[in-house]
Amino acid sequence: MSRRRPLDLVVIGAGVVGTTAALAAARDGLEVALVEAHPPKPWSASDPDLRVFAFAPDNAALLADLGVWPQVLAARAQAYRTMRVWDAAGGGELVFSADAFGAPQLGHIVENGLLVDRLWAAAGQEARLQRLCPERLAGITQDAEGVDVELAGGQRLRARLVLGADGAASRVRELAGFAVDRHDYGQRGLVAFVGTERPHGDTAWQRFLPGGPLAFLPFADGRCSIVWSLPDAEAERLLAIDEAGFLRELTRAFDARLGEVTSVSARAAFPLRRQLAKDYVAGRVVLAGDAAHVVHPLAGQGVNLGLRDVAALRTTWRDARDRGSDFAAAHRLARWERSRRSENTAAAHAFDGINRIFSSDAMLPVLLRGHALGLADRLPLFTRMLWRRAAGL
Ligand SMILES: Cc1cc2nc3c(=O)[nH]c(=O)nc-3n(C[C@H](O)[C@H](O)[C@H](O)COP(=O)(O)OP(=O)(O)OC[C@H]3O[C@@H](n4cnc5c(N)ncnc54)[C@H](O)[C@@H]3O)c2cc1C
C-alpha cells in the first residue's frame, strides 16, 4: 500500500467518459489520477475518426462547463437541425425539427477522437490531476476506507474511490467481480464517411431495413458519416466488396434520399451487443460508460448515457462537498447507482425492442410500425417528449 495520502479518485480509462469524469472531479477540488493504456492519438482535421457521435445538448453543456466544448466547436462539429426516421417496409416517416422545438439545433455530430484529444489536453492542465499513460490496471483490492490500485508498471495508488471507465471489455469490472448480462445482436455496425450527390441539409437520417437501421449523419466537411447495422455475414460481405459495388448497394439501401452515394472512405465494422452490468457499485469501485452499459447504436445514445453517469456522479460529490461529508459514502453511491441503472437499463431494452420490431418482416409488425411512425409524426407533443428524452432535457 502507498504510504502517501490517498487520492480521492482513480479513474481507469481515458475515453470520453473517463476523461470527462477525471476533469470534472479535479475542477471540483478532488485529487485525481487518470490511468490510460494507450496514448490518445492527436486529432488531425485531415484524418477524421470513423467513430462519430450524435452528441446531445445536455452533454455539450457539461463539456461547456468544463471549458472544452468551445474548443470542439472551433475544431469541427456539425449541428443537426432535423432528424428523419422512416421504414423501408412499413411506410410512415417521423420528423424531428429544431424549429418546431424552439431549439437552435437537435444536437451536434462530433468525432470521438476530437473529443478525447481536447479533453485529454484539458486534463493535462489540471494541477490536481495526474495522467498516467501508457499504463494499465493490474489489480484492485479494497477495504472499508479505500482501494489499492496496482498498475502493470509496478506503481501502486490508494484512493477513496475507483471509477472504471475502461470500456466494454472493462478490466475493472472483471477484477472487482461485477456480473454482466450480455446479448449479442448478431449484427455489426459498419461505419464510413460517404459523399452524396445532394447536400445533407444539416439532417440526421435513419432508415429501418430488415437487416437493421442505416443512419446517415451530417458531417462538417459536407460528407455524411454512416452507421449501418447489418447481420454479421452481410457486414463482412459489404466490407469486402469493391467500392463501386458498395456505393451502388448503399444508394439502394438508403432509398437514394440524397441522390447517388458518390464516394466512400475506409470502412470499418464494430460488433453490436447489449451488455449491462448487474451492479454499478461494489464497495468503493464504481463503473460508468461502456464499462457499465453497452447499447445498440440505433438511437446514438451510447456515449450520451455514459456522460450522464458522470454528470450524476458530479452532483453526488458536489452535494457531499457542500455538506462536508464523504463523497464515496455507500448510501450516496447506492442512490447514484439506482438512478443511473434504471435509466440505462430502460434505454437498452427500448433500443432492443425497436431493433427487433423494425428488423421483422412479419406482416403485423410491418403494418404496425408504419402506422406508429405516421401517427407519432402527427403528435407534436409526443415527438417533443421523445426529443427531450434523447437530448437529456
Ligand atoms: C458503430 C457504433 C456507433 C456508435 N454511435 C454512437 C453515437 O452516435 N452516439 C453515441 O452516444 N454513442 C455511439 N456509440 C457508442 C460509443 O462509441 C460508446 O458508448 C462510447 O465510445 C463509450 O465511451 P467510454 O469512454 O465509456 O469507453 P471507450 O471509448 O471504450 O474508452 C475506454 C478507454 O479505456 C482504456 N482502457 C481499457 N482497458 C484499460 C486498462 N486495463 N487500463 C487502462 N486503460 C484501459 C481504453 O484504451 C480506452 O481509451 C456507437 C458505438 C458503435 C459501435
Side-chain angles (χ1 to χ4, degrees), residues 13 16-17 36-38 51 53-54 137 166 270 290 300-304:
V16 172
V17 172
E36 168 56 46
H38 306 288
R51 202 196 292 199
F53 303 136
L137 173 69
D166 49 347
F270 301 85
D290 275 22
Q301 286 298 305
V303 86
N304 288 311

Side-chain angles (χ1 to χ4, degrees), residues 289-300:
D290 275 22
H293 44 81
V294 177
V295 299
H296 198 287
L298 67 84

Side-chain angles (χ1 to χ4, degrees), residues 12-19 35-38 50-56 109 112 116 132 135-138 165-172 188-191 217 226-229 269-272 288-297 299-306:
I12 310 292
V16 172
V17 172
T19 317
V35 179
E36 168 56 46
H38 306 288
L50 281 171
R51 202 196 292 199
V52 163
F53 303 136
F55 209 69
I109 304 298
N112 177 62
V116 170
L132 302 172
E135 190 52 278
R136 277 184 178 279
L137 173 69
D166 49 347
S170 170
R171 186 96 172 102
V172 174
R188 288 198 216 167
L190 189 155
V191 291
L217 306 175
I226 62 157
V227 184
W228 193 355
S229 304
F270 301 85
L272 302 184
D290 275 22
H293 44 81
V294 177
V295 299
H296 198 287
Q301 286 298 305
V303 86
N304 288 311
L305 295 174

Side-chain angles (χ1 to χ4, degrees), residues 112-197:
N112 177 62
L114 170 60
L115 290 168
V116 170
D117 180 85
R118 296 303 191 260
L119 285 161
W120 181 252
Q125 305 292 314
E126 287 299 315
R128 290 191 198 90
L129 200 169
Q130 38 173 320
R131 300 180 307 177
L132 302 172
C133 176
E135 190 52 278
R136 277 184 178 279
L137 173 69
I140 294 182
T141 45
Q142 58 172 315
D143 52 51
E145 275 79 48
V147 190
D148 290 308
V149 174
E150 191 186 333
L151 302 180
Q155 193 174 350
R156 295 174 83 92
L157 305 167
R158 171 125 178 123
R160 292 162 69 200
L161 186 70
V162 168
L163 171 63
D166 49 347
S170 170
R171 186 96 172 102
V172 174
R173 194 180 62 220
E174 185 191 324
L175 287 171
F178 288 92
V180 281
D181 170 21
R182 198 174 282 127
H183 167 72
D184 194 334
Y185 288 111
Q187 286 174 315
R188 288 198 216 167
L190 189 155
V191 291
F193 290 101
V194 300
T196 51
E197 209 178 347

